[in-house]
Amino acid sequence: MPLTFDGGSLHEMVAGSRGSGSACSISTAKGVKVTDVAWGSQDFFARNGLETPYREAPELCVEIVSPSDSTLEIEEKINLYLSKGAREVWVCDEDGRLRFFTCRDSIDHSRLFPNVPDDIPFQ
């Protein structure tokens, strides 16, 4: 089920910018992790090509929390993606609420995609 909001789906929104958006695998200190949605700029793909798992994280990594995910697992993924170079990690909970993280702390809104709402109702 895609995440959708008034501006379209989350996947469409990040894919429509100057880069590419989809799930991707990233080689981390804790093995290969796969994001639910990711966005990488043209520069990211120029450096990394298309072969996965990537050695660095794309600029944006998104995790969609499922009932089987523990808080510890999500926190670990946030830290792993940020340590591999992600500029932002978004976490979408089961109610469609988004939380945004950078390497410094949590932030109120995305700096990469400032028009993204804080809540994304599932449709």
Side-chain angles (χ1 to χ4, degrees):
M1 169 183 301
L3 289 172
T4 60
F5 58 98
D6 289 342
S9 75
L10 180 61
H11 185 271
E12 289 168 349
M13 190 269 322
V14 297
S17 61
R18 294 192 59 144
S20 181
S22 67
C24 77
S25 58
I26 303 162
S27 181
T28 75
K30 298 271 184 149
V32 174
K33 302 295 180 186
V34 180
T35 65
D36 292 310
V37 179
W39 178 86
S41 67
Q42 293 172 351
D43 289 340
F44 172 82
F45 288 106
R47 287 190 314 275
N48 293 281
L50 298 175
E51 190 172 328
T52 63
Y54 294 115
R55 293 184 177 268
E56 68 177 292
E59 289 90 342
L60 172 64
C61 297
V62 181
E63 281 299 313
I64 301 169
V65 178
S66 67
S68 64
D69 290 327
S70 72
T71 301
L72 186 60
E73 288 172 314
I74 295 300
E75 289 174 358
E76 180 178 67
K77 284 185 174 184
I78 292 167
N79 292 326
L80 289 169
Y81 298 151
L82 291 171
S83 72
K84 293 300 284 188
R87 290 180 49 202
E88 290 185 9
V89 176
W90 301 353
V91 176
C92 182
D93 70 18
E94 295 177 70
D95 295 321
R97 286 186 301 262
L98 281 174
R99 294 179 292 142
F100 307 93
F101 300 89
T102 67
C103 63
R104 298 197 186 276
D105 205 354
S106 63
I107 54 177
D108 292 332
H109 302 285
S110 173
R111 294 180 186 140
L112 291 174
F113 298 96
N115 294 330
V116 170
D118 295 338
D119 294 298
I120 300 176
F122 294 100
Q123 295 182 357

